[in-house]
Amino acid sequence: MASSRNFCTMLQGSTVALAFLGALALASAGNFYQDFEITWGDQRAKILNGGRDLTLSLDKASGSGFKSKNEYLFGRIDMQIKLVAGNSAGTVTTFYLSSEGPNHDEIDFEFLGNLSGNPYTLHTNVFSQGKGNREQQFHLWFDPTIAFHTYSILWNARRIIFLVDNIPIRVFNNLESIGVPFPKDQPMRVYSSLWNADDWATMGGRVKTDWTNAPFTASFRNVNVNACIRAPGSSSCTRTDPNQDGAWQDQVLDASGRNRVRWVQQKYMIYNYCTDVNRFPQGLPPECKLSRFL
């Protein structure tokens, strides 16, 4: 994979000024004590090293999870994660944004566990107004269990970009002009979890969780939230750090970025809803007929 690693350089995106955000709140590098809270799993979730690190664990009784204290409306969220090592079949580690309610919006990274020696599956999805069904899945060009890697969600009013180690792997554009719902009105929290889904997670549920390997552990660190913070009950945002980089506000992919997306999708994509004609016998969703990299 040496040639692949050489190819994977930093995404260079062009940016322009925007008026659509109004007052921004830019949150700097996060501290798990200050900015997040454990939501379930009791002692299976642990904040360590003064809030710089967090671990989630899963055993036969329960998994665990955490969420951000703040809600965000647009931004870039980076999370460094080291996934469950060894035989992780049946386990799912997640990092995602979500609003609340039946018509919720959601932007997903889900890491589906594997049998030892097989690759993890990186599952991505976008929900708008309660509707998802926009799955794309990938294998990674590295072992995500040996070291930490950075997974990023960049979300603004024009597009969503999924990045791995700053390499764009997927773009979901705002195509409301042709009737495609886009998540832009509901503030979302950051969530992560580790849980058992052996009814579907590995080889369609054919491979079950081996509980003799429990507890399973995933590690998180260096969370960075650079976003518009929506205060509870407020319709506006408050700027907290005017010096924070706001490039995400209108991030686009230049030619180099588009080439990187194509490289990842050609080499490592294993499922794309936009090519699944059996799933959509009445015709593919309208966004599938347009360029993915506008």
Side-chain angles (χ1 to χ4, degrees):
M1 292 295 181
S3 60
S4 298
R5 294 190 183 97
N6 291 337
F7 185 88
C8 300
T9 55
M10 296 282 285
L11 166 66
Q12 299 295 324
S14 58
T15 58
V16 297
L18 279 186
F20 73 84
L21 276 180
L24 288 176
L26 301 174
S28 57
N31 179 286
F32 286 111
Y33 276 127
Q34 296 174 3
D35 303 319
F36 292 82
E37 59 187 11
I38 305 301
T39 51
W40 62 290
D42 298 322
Q43 299 304 312
R44 295 173 183 86
K46 297 179 180 180
I47 299 176
L48 308 168
N49 299 323
R52 294 188 297 274
D53 303 293
L54 186 150
T55 59
L56 296 179
S57 65
L58 163 69
D59 57 34
K60 200 167 185 177
S62 178
S64 51
F66 64 93
K67 70 177 181 180
S68 64
K69 295 178 180 179
N70 290 315
E71 294 182 316
Y72 306 101
L73 187 63
F74 307 129
R76 173 167 174 156
I77 296 88
D78 306 292
M79 185 85 74
Q80 287 195 333
I81 306 173
K82 184 164 65 172
L83 297 176
V84 175
N87 181 0
S88 58
T91 72
V92 177
T93 305
T94 69
F95 161 48
Y96 63 102
L97 306 181
S98 183
S99 61
E100 298 179 352
N103 297 317
H104 77 293
D105 295 337
E106 189 171 321
I107 305 169
D108 293 337
F109 274 113
E110 294 185 326
F111 304 90
L112 311 185
N114 64 327
L115 283 170
S116 298
N118 292 335
Y120 259 83
T121 295
L122 170 53
H123 178 99
T124 66
N125 202 357
V126 176
F127 286 75
S128 302
Q129 300 173 21
K131 181 181 178 182
N133 300 324
R134 300 186 178 104
E135 300 91 345
Q136 290 183 355
Q137 294 184 340
F138 306 83
H139 287 157
L140 296 167
W141 50 95
F142 53 83
D143 184 341
T145 72
I146 294 176
F148 284 90
H149 292 268
T150 303
Y151 305 92
S152 306
I153 296 170
L154 188 152
W155 169 43
N156 60 41
R158 298 184 182 184
R159 62 190 53 84
I160 297 163
I161 304 175
F162 296 79
L163 304 103
V164 176
D165 288 337
N166 216 31
I167 299 161
I169 65 168
R170 178 178 182 179
V171 180
F172 186 82
N173 291 298
N174 185 339
L175 295 172
E176 290 179 308
S177 60
I178 61 170
V180 180
F182 185 84
K184 66 178 181 58
D185 299 314
Q186 301 186 69
M188 297 194 270
R189 296 183 192 274
V190 181
Y191 293 86
S192 284
S193 60
L194 174 59
W195 54 289
N196 178 52
D198 66 2
D199 55 335
W200 64 270
T202 305
M203 302 179 103
R206 296 190 300 275
V207 180
K208 303 300 183 180
T209 304
D210 183 352
W211 293 110
T212 64
N213 295 314
F216 304 95
T217 301
S219 301
F220 302 77
R221 72 179 188 188
N222 291 342
V223 57
N224 187 73
V225 179
N226 183 359
C228 176
I229 300 175
R230 175 67 63 87
S234 173
S235 60
S236 62
C237 303
T238 303
R239 181 181 289 273
T240 59
D241 186 355
N243 298 315
Q244 187 83 357
D245 178 19
W248 58 267
Q249 296 174 34
D250 195 34
Q251 188 82 45
V252 299
L253 296 183
D254 61 8
S256 177
R258 292 191 294 273
N259 286 337
R260 289 175 172 84
V261 175
R262 291 189 185 98
W263 173 75
V264 171
Q265 296 195 351
Q266 289 170 1
K267 296 286 187 181
Y268 298 102
M269 179 181 281
I270 59 173
Y271 177 80
N272 182 4
Y273 77 108
C274 276
T275 61
D276 193 344
V277 294
N278 293 324
R279 184 180 180 184
F280 302 102
Q282 305 303 316
L284 294 171
E287 68 267 23
C288 297
K289 303 172 185 177
L290 300 177
S291 171
R292 290 169 289 173
F293 314 125
L294 294 175

